[in-house]
Amino acid sequence: MKKLTIFFFLTTFFTTLAQETLPYYEIPKMEENYSAQNTVARMVDGLGFRYYWSTESLRAEDLAYQPKGAGRNCQKTVNHLYDLSNMMLRLTKIDLTQEIEKEQMTFAEMRKQTLLNFEAFSNKIKSSIDLSEFTIKKDGEITVPFFNVINGPIADAIWHTGQIASFRRSSGNPINSKVNHFTGTVRE
């Protein structure tokens, strides 16, 4: 019996170590400095946290779920969120290598890359000196102000992450009840 207990303990221990840790299981700790950069980065970290938990343990039937009408199903919404995360990187000139082409990605690979994209975007924003450095100019004229990144892909990603949470509840697989969206933590 003792050998069996040790076997199960070691199996559990090494399985846990083998599992890849993805960003946004919880919102990262941040010093209380309310700069524009930290505020935008915190919005993205909140998005990453919500995306992590909205997409955690999705089943095939959850990904196939589509509300009545002509809207996207859950998998297509996940694809759109991946595209939005790449748009955030492009608009802020972040070069993050995507290891797998989008068309070849499984759901788990796309989820992972989207979370890594959110993390890279947040880190770039936090390390910036002024958000205006992300304003896109052509021939000296502003063509895309950074405000458009906020009300464009960031806000859109928050919106669609909420859709995934709604879709999964509708398909019978609600988000883990231990997740606290207010504090960005998970109760044990």
Side-chain angles (χ1 to χ4, degrees), residues 25-38:
Y25 174 84
E26 291 190 331
I27 295 179
K29 300 283 184 231
M30 190 178 251
E31 64 179 82
E32 213 168 310
N33 172 1
Y34 296 97
S35 67
Q37 294 87 334
N38 283 346

Side-chain angles (χ1 to χ4, degrees), residues 10-182:
L10 290 175
T11 302
T12 304
F13 177 75
F14 287 113
T15 301
T16 303
L17 282 179
Q19 291 176 348
E20 188 172 7
T21 303
L22 295 175
Y24 297 119
Y25 174 84
E26 291 190 331
I27 295 179
K29 300 283 184 231
M30 190 178 251
E31 64 179 82
E32 213 168 310
N33 172 1
Y34 296 97
S35 67
Q37 294 87 334
N38 283 346
T39 301
V40 172
R42 189 60 166 197
M43 286 175 57
V44 175
D45 291 341
L47 163 61
F49 177 75
R50 288 171 184 274
Y51 179 83
Y52 181 101
W53 287 104
S54 292
T55 57
E56 175 67 15
S57 302
L58 286 179
R59 309 166 303 187
E61 57 263 42
D62 301 321
L63 291 168
Y65 178 82
Q66 178 177 356
K68 301 246 186 277
R72 293 182 182 109
N73 69 16
C74 188
Q75 178 63 64
K76 287 181 182 174
T77 305
V78 168
N79 296 355
H80 182 57
L81 278 154
Y82 170 75
D83 292 340
L84 289 170
S85 74
N86 280 317
M87 180 186 292
M88 291 175 205
L89 298 180
R90 278 193 314 278
L91 289 170
T92 52
K93 297 177 180 77
I94 299 170
D95 185 25
L96 184 66
T97 304
Q98 311 285 309
E99 295 178 11
I100 303 170
E101 293 294 321
K102 178 182 174 182
E103 294 73 28
Q104 306 303 317
M105 287 183 173
T106 64
F107 162 73
E109 291 164 338
M110 187 172 287
R111 176 179 186 259
K112 173 186 172 184
Q113 191 61 58
T114 302
L115 288 165
L116 292 172
N117 289 354
F118 289 153
E119 181 181 53
F121 180 67
S122 174
N123 289 339
K124 178 77 169 188
I125 297 299
K126 282 182 233 175
S127 68
S128 68
I129 295 169
D130 188 329
L131 292 176
S132 66
E133 70 187 73
F134 302 116
T135 294
I136 298 173
K137 295 181 181 182
K138 185 174 181 179
D139 299 325
E141 298 290 320
I142 294 175
T143 57
V144 181
F146 182 73
F147 288 127
N148 288 25
V149 177
I150 296 170
N151 62 272
I154 295 173
D156 200 28
I158 294 168
W159 175 281
H160 291 300
T161 297
Q163 285 180 314
I164 292 172
S166 177
F167 292 173
R168 73 178 292 158
R169 180 177 293 279
S170 295
S171 64
N173 185 14
I175 291 175
N176 182 338
S177 62
K178 294 182 179 183
V179 172
N180 185 328
H181 290 93
F182 183 71

